[in-house]
Amino acid sequence: VYYESQRISEAQQVLDENTSHVAPGHGDSWHLLVEVELLLGMDNLTAADATRALGESANATALTNLGIALYRRGKTLEALAIFREAVSTPMPEDGHDVEARVVAYNYMGVSEMARDNLVSADASFRKMIELLPTWDVQVKAQTRNSQLRAGQRRLLSSTVAAYSNRAEISRRKENYDDAVALSDAAVQAADLLVRLERSDEGASMGDMD
């Protein structure tokens, strides 16, 4: 809750307590602690040990979280390397980390767009789109309605991002027919997202926006 409320220092204190009796790199609290300490600009032995352990785990989810933390600190090139490592890890048979791979490809694409490397950016967004059906199957398998809605939100938001970014790339290349078609696909996903929020009595104004 502290983390989601941007109260990072307080989140770090709670995570320190949660991980005090757990070996570095083990458990979800460690994954989040690494991200929090990087966001706080901390470069201590705890974060270093945890980062090393997470890297050795070859876990796409942990690596993607680490990449996001580096990206948010402005370390774009280091983050890009971590994201590439995340998507290169073997996919588990149950595909449970497909969402993390989608997120990693999105950050890779956005980073490459910022560097005006449109070919690599478009390739990342294409890979992102290829993974969406697998993620959709997992979302639909959720047994709890709240988890289903949360998964649908993230899936649709990622779909909008992938198609709209590809549309922007096509626009920059002056491929306007492709840009319009891709924008239409983004709008359709956005419309589904709006319908989802309108049907959810618990949706906040932020969700609606």
Side-chain angles (χ1 to χ4, degrees):
V1 173
Y2 283 142
Y3 176 77
E4 292 294 338
S5 302
Q6 301 297 313
R7 295 164 65 176
I8 305 301
S9 295
E10 290 165 291
Q12 190 257 341
Q13 293 174 17
V14 175
L15 290 165
D16 269 344
E17 182 178 347
N18 288 353
T19 58
S20 59
H21 304 293
V22 184
H26 293 271
D28 293 337
S29 290
W30 267 108
H31 296 180
L32 188 56
L33 179 61
V34 173
E35 183 174 342
V36 164
E37 291 194 342
L38 285 167
L39 287 171
L40 290 171
M42 300 174 69
D43 188 20
N44 57 29
L45 183 61
T46 301
D49 285 346
T51 301
R52 191 178 305 109
L54 292 177
E56 291 172 354
S57 71
N59 181 300
T61 300
L63 289 169
T64 297
N65 287 337
L66 178 58
I68 292 170
L70 291 169
Y71 186 89
R72 288 176 178 172
R73 287 192 64 202
K75 297 188 175 183
T76 307
L77 292 180
E78 293 94 327
L80 199 52
I82 294 295
F83 289 132
R84 286 172 178 158
E85 185 178 350
V87 298
S88 67
T89 59
M91 174 82 81
E93 289 186 9
D94 61 2
H96 69 268
D97 62 0
V98 65
E99 180 178 353
R101 295 168 190 271
V102 169
V103 172
Y105 276 123
N106 183 53
Y107 272 93
M108 289 166 62
V110 170
S111 299
E112 295 291 13
M113 282 181 72
R115 286 148 48 92
D116 211 30
N117 190 349
L118 300 185
V119 173
S120 294
D122 193 53
S124 293
F125 293 127
R126 285 177 183 270
K127 287 286 187 181
M128 190 177 166
I129 290 170
E130 287 177 10
L131 290 171
L132 294 177
T134 303
W135 187 10
D136 184 43
V137 170
Q138 291 188 343
V139 169
K140 290 176 179 175
Q142 295 290 347
T143 55
R144 289 174 53 189
N145 189 54
S146 59
Q147 291 178 329
L148 171 62
R149 285 188 177 278
Q152 287 175 323
R153 284 189 183 100
R154 297 195 302 274
L155 174 61
L156 288 170
S157 295
S158 295
T159 303
V160 173
Y163 281 104
S164 60
N165 281 322
R166 285 203 62 214
E168 172 60 14
I169 291 171
S170 294
R171 188 195 65 78
R172 290 191 194 181
K173 292 180 176 180
E174 299 185 356
N175 296 332
Y176 298 116
D177 287 343
D178 288 346
V180 170
L182 290 164
S183 294
D184 281 343
V187 168
Q188 289 179 39
D191 183 61
L192 290 174
L193 183 56
V194 171
R195 291 172 185 269
L196 173 69
E197 300 299 0
R198 284 178 176 168
S199 66
D200 184 1
E201 295 179 356
S204 67
M205 289 305 297
D207 292 330
M208 292 298 293
D209 288 341

